[in-house]
Structures are given as C-alpha cells and as structure tokens.
Amino acid sequence: MPHLILEDLNFAAAERRLCVAALEQGGNIVSAAQLLGITRHAMKRRIIKLRIAWPRLAPQISAASPSISPSA
C-alpha cells in the first residue's frame, strides 16, 4: 500500500483516507479489508460510518450506442 501523507493529526480524516485508498487499490470490500488487516464486516461498518460512496459508479456508456425503439 502506498504511503499517505497527512496534512494534520485528524484521526477521522486519516481513517477515511486509508479506507478510500484501500478500496481503490483492492477494488472490493474483501480485498480492502485484507489490506487493512480487518474483517469484511468491519470494513463495511467503516464505509457506512465514514460515508464513503461505494461502489464507485462505473463510467457511463457512450451515447453512440444503439437504442431500441418500440415497434408500432
């Protein structure tokens, strides 16, 4: 896991940054929890407590994709 530099000694902000970094690196809750050395359930509680938006929204499908129109 890459080193994080903290701007201040705010524990809540540091915990949030670590969780977000673990989720981004791990890609899912189980992998993120393993990176942090906690259980999946503990990771899920932190996501809720710290109000981390997860899962991240996938990129939108381009507007060039064909759409199906109803037949009359």
Side-chain angles (χ1 to χ4, degrees):
M1 184 162 228
H3 295 282
L4 294 176
I5 298 174
L6 303 175
E7 290 93 31
D8 55 20
L9 295 177
N10 183 341
F11 180 73
E15 183 180 26
R16 189 175 204 292
R17 286 188 64 191
L18 283 171
C19 288
V20 169
L23 285 164
E24 288 174 351
Q25 184 175 345
N28 60 50
I29 293 173
V30 173
S31 296
Q34 289 174 343
L35 286 170
L36 296 174
I38 60 177
T39 65
R40 179 201 60 80
H41 187 68
M43 186 69 205
K44 185 71 173 173
R45 283 194 318 260
R46 283 172 175 78
I47 290 170
I48 293 167
K49 177 181 99 174
L50 300 170
R51 298 180 186 201
I52 297 171
W54 190 261
R56 299 279 189 227
L57 297 176
Q60 296 295 324
I61 299 173
S62 71
S65 61
S67 60
I68 301 172
S69 59
S71 51

